[in-house]
Amino acid sequence: MYFSTSQDLFFFVLAVAIAILTAFMVWALFYIIMILRKGYNAVNEIEEKLASLDALFTTVKEHLIHSSSSLKVLVGVVTKLIEVIQKRKQKKTTKGDKKSTDSA
């Protein structure tokens, strides 16, 4: 490994420098790829969790819609029941008023 000219020495040093630079770039590229891979996995996990949350909210929404329609019917029935009870009370009070005025 004798160098006959300074140009041979220059090319040797240049080759070593390129080899070191290449090794550094491969190492850096490896770590960049690993960082991007972790980021990709994290984004996929977040997307999966958001999809499951969306499914949960959709299910809750559907249940609330079905419950609200049932609740409307129930409220209507209770309202009619209250009206019937109030009419009966009014009839009883009017009958009771007639009895009390008749006996006086």
Side-chain angles (χ1 to χ4, degrees), residues 26-56:
V26 166
W27 174 77
L29 188 60
F30 173 77
Y31 277 99
I32 289 171
I33 289 171
M34 291 319 244
I35 289 169
L36 291 175
R37 183 175 174 222
K38 284 183 181 181
Y40 176 77
N41 289 339
V43 168
N44 278 343
E45 286 181 26
I46 290 171
E47 285 178 350
E48 289 174 4
K49 289 181 182 183
L50 286 176
S52 65
L53 271 175
D54 184 43
L56 174 70

Side-chain angles (χ1 to χ4, degrees), residues 94-104:
T94 55
K95 286 181 182 178
D97 288 342
K98 287 181 182 178
K99 287 181 183 177
S100 62
T101 54
D102 291 339
S103 62

Side-chain angles (χ1 to χ4, degrees), residues 59-101:
T59 304
V60 169
K61 179 182 171 185
E62 290 173 358
H63 284 291
L64 286 176
I65 288 171
H66 294 298
S67 297
S68 67
S69 63
S70 301
L71 189 60
K72 286 179 186 177
V73 172
L74 183 63
V75 167
V77 168
V78 169
T79 304
K80 292 290 184 182
L81 184 64
I82 290 173
E83 289 175 2
V84 168
I85 292 172
Q86 286 177 346
K87 286 180 183 177
R88 284 188 180 179
K89 281 185 179 180
Q90 287 176 353
K91 286 181 182 178
K92 285 182 181 179
T93 56
T94 55
K95 286 181 182 178
D97 288 342
K98 287 181 182 178
K99 287 181 183 177
S100 62
T101 54

